[in-house]
Amino acid sequence: MEETLRRAAASVLGLDAGKIAERDSFAALGGDSLAGLSYALLLENIYGLPIDVSTIMHPAGSFVQLKEDLTRQISGADKGVTATDVHGADQSQLRAADLQLEKFIPAAVLAAASTIAPASETDAACVLLTGANGFLGRFLALEQLKRLSVNGGKLICIARGANDASARSRLLESFAGGDDALLRDIERLAEGRLDVLAGDLAKPHLGLPEKIWLRLADEVDLVVHPAALVNHKLPYSQLFRPNVGGTATLIELAVTTRLKRVLHISTVAAAMNVGAPATEEVDIRDAIASWQTSEGYANGYGASKWAAEVLLLDVGTRPGLPV
């Protein structure tokens, strides 16, 4: 498999396969997201599996890691929910009615959620933040660390990396630049207060060991979720697992063991698939009951964020569950 992965990458990138090492990555060889899409489609033809560009472009990726990911998928250990599982093979028009939490979250978890005490309204002492190395996420991380420094709380960030240490390094590097004042603030506030876990929104349970997942379910008070794979060229099917499945996973975490509040950051693109933009006051499931997919600019991205909002609204229709 490893040799096949390298040869396929070479054919897409126009390189000599013999000069590609197993520890190289598609991105390090010069591949961008559009080349990654061509590579993903080629691998899908070879292995008969849906392949995510986000997996191919993983910042800590290599052909060794890609082989491990594909092996887990083939064995069924890491399949996850795909756009086809939810919407069917024809995704020219996506229906809000297809986006139901039962397709993502075990029935037993949803059933138990209605018996758990409501989420605490007190100041959160343990916050889970996604996308902290993004433009907006950096300022949300700073805001939360300042607040948590007052109440003695803890911030847990999910970031992609080969392990927790590399994920933390990548996160702190994102604050560097300019006069490094932001980095100095973060390093000062993070001392004893910041935990960084290597995880991936596109994977079941964020790619975390079960022991860590259950610890988060027990400790977290608030989930802050600005993370998304932001790409205005990739289709909905390629953005589904990180942007839609990832949101569903965080909803699952929010209703496991104890109820947690969720702060979700959306985008104006989620309201732009109709003649006139949907407003914040309407139920987006009514305003945009279906989404017409196309190759138009940011159509796939907007669809993925629209779908995430639909799932969050589905939570709100269930008695006892927090929105």
Side-chain angles (χ1 to χ4, degrees), residues 13 39 41 45 70 153 180 190 199 218 224 226 228 243 257 272 293 308 315 320:
L13 297 173
Y39 186 46
L41 294 173
N45 286 335
L70 290 179
D180 288 339
D218 188 55
V224 182
N243 295 358
T257 306
M272 299 302 288
T293 59
V315 177

Side-chain angles (χ1 to χ4, degrees), residues 46-61:
I46 295 171
Y47 295 108
L49 293 167
I51 310 294
D52 287 348
V53 172
S54 62
T55 299
I56 291 169
M57 302 299 291
H58 196 290

Side-chain angles (χ1 to χ4, degrees), residues 161-236:
N163 50 47
D164 292 350
S166 69
R168 186 185 182 94
S169 294
R170 283 190 66 245
L171 177 60
L172 292 177
E173 284 171 7
S174 71
F175 289 92
D179 62 4
D180 288 339
L182 186 59
L183 176 60
R184 289 195 296 273
D185 279 346
I186 287 293
E187 288 179 333
R188 173 178 55 82
L189 292 166
E191 186 67 32
R193 192 169 293 110
L194 173 67
D195 285 347
V196 182
L197 301 176
D200 193 333
L201 282 173
K203 294 184 177 181
H205 284 188
L206 306 175
L208 300 173
E210 192 64 11
K211 181 179 179 180
I212 301 298
W213 171 263
L214 293 175
R215 177 171 68 82
L216 294 181
D218 188 55
E219 294 181 359
V220 170
D221 302 307
L222 170 68
V223 177
V224 182
H225 179 40
L229 175 54
V230 181
N231 188 295
H232 294 168
K233 284 292 188 179
L234 290 178
Y236 175 75

Side-chain angles (χ1 to χ4, degrees), residues 215-263:
R215 177 171 68 82
L216 294 181
D218 188 55
E219 294 181 359
V220 170
D221 302 307
L222 170 68
V223 177
V224 182
H225 179 40
L229 175 54
V230 181
N231 188 295
H232 294 168
K233 284 292 188 179
L234 290 178
Y236 175 75
S237 59
Q238 282 290 339
L239 298 168
F240 178 86
R241 277 201 272 210
N243 295 358
V244 186
T247 300
T249 298
L250 292 170
I251 292 172
E252 179 180 355
L253 182 68
V255 299
T256 298
T257 306
R258 50 199 293 262
L259 296 186
K260 307 154 188 69
R261 289 177 287 133
V262 178
L263 172 60

Side-chain angles (χ1 to χ4, degrees), residues 1-301:
M1 181 187 284
E2 218 170 273
E3 181 184 357
T4 300
L5 293 175
R6 293 201 300 271
R7 287 174 58 195
S11 71
V12 171
L13 297 173
L15 302 175
D16 181 350
K19 296 182 179 179
I20 298 178
E22 62 180 17
R23 292 294 172 183
D24 288 337
S25 71
F26 189 83
L29 293 171
D32 58 17
S33 60
L34 291 181
L37 179 58
S38 296
Y39 186 46
L41 294 173
L42 178 56
L43 295 182
E44 286 180 10
N45 286 335
I46 295 171
Y47 295 108
L49 293 167
I51 310 294
D52 287 348
V53 172
S54 62
T55 299
I56 291 169
M57 302 299 291
H58 196 290
S62 68
F63 291 107
V64 172
Q65 183 193 18
L66 185 55
K67 174 190 172 182
E68 292 172 354
D69 286 341
L70 290 179
T71 300
R72 285 196 297 271
Q73 275 192 255
I74 291 170
S75 69
D78 197 14
K79 177 180 179 295
V81 180
T82 67
T84 300
D85 294 331
V86 173
H87 299 285
D90 181 7
Q91 292 168 33
S92 58
Q93 190 170 57
L94 312 171
R95 299 189 313 133
D98 293 334
L99 291 153
Q100 300 169 1
L101 289 176
E102 285 83 359
K103 296 181 178 180
F104 298 86
I105 301 175
V109 173
L110 290 173
S114 62
T115 67
I116 302 174
S120 172
E121 294 296 328
T122 59
D123 198 22
C126 183
V127 178
L128 179 71
L129 173 65
T130 68
N133 55 349
F135 177 77
L136 176 61
R138 289 179 296 165
F139 295 98
L140 290 171
L142 183 60
E143 176 186 295
Q144 290 295 332
L145 284 171
K146 285 180 177 178
R147 188 183 61 77
L148 292 165
S149 68
V150 176
N151 69 4
K154 178 171 65 175
L155 178 66
I156 303 173
C157 292
I158 303 293
R160 295 202 294 177
N163 50 47
D164 292 350
S166 69
R168 186 185 182 94
S169 294
R170 283 190 66 245
L171 177 60
L172 292 177
E173 284 171 7
S174 71
F175 289 92
D179 62 4
D180 288 339
L182 186 59
L183 176 60
R184 289 195 296 273
D185 279 346
I186 287 293
E187 288 179 333
R188 173 178 55 82
L189 292 166
E191 186 67 32
R193 192 169 293 110
L194 173 67
D195 285 347
V196 182
L197 301 176
D200 193 333
L201 282 173
K203 294 184 177 181
H205 284 188
L206 306 175
L208 300 173
E210 192 64 11
K211 181 179 179 180
I212 301 298
W213 171 263
L214 293 175
R215 177 171 68 82
L216 294 181
D218 188 55
E219 294 181 359
V220 170
D221 302 307
L222 170 68
V223 177
V224 182
H225 179 40
L229 175 54
V230 181
N231 188 295
H232 294 168
K233 284 292 188 179
L234 290 178
Y236 175 75
S237 59
Q238 282 290 339
L239 298 168
F240 178 86
R241 277 201 272 210
N243 295 358
V244 186
T247 300
T249 298
L250 292 170
I251 292 172
E252 179 180 355
L253 182 68
V255 299
T256 298
T257 306
R258 50 199 293 262
L259 296 186
K260 307 154 188 69
R261 289 177 287 133
V262 178
L263 172 60
H264 177 254
I265 312 300
S266 192
T267 172
V268 70
M272 299 302 288
N273 198 246
V274 289
T279 66
E280 291 190 40
E281 288 72 29
V282 301
D283 187 323
I284 204 165
R285 294 170 298 182
D286 297 328
I288 308 177
S290 63
W291 187 287
Q292 189 72 38
T293 59
S294 73
E295 295 183 0
Y297 182 73
N299 180 278
Y301 175 64

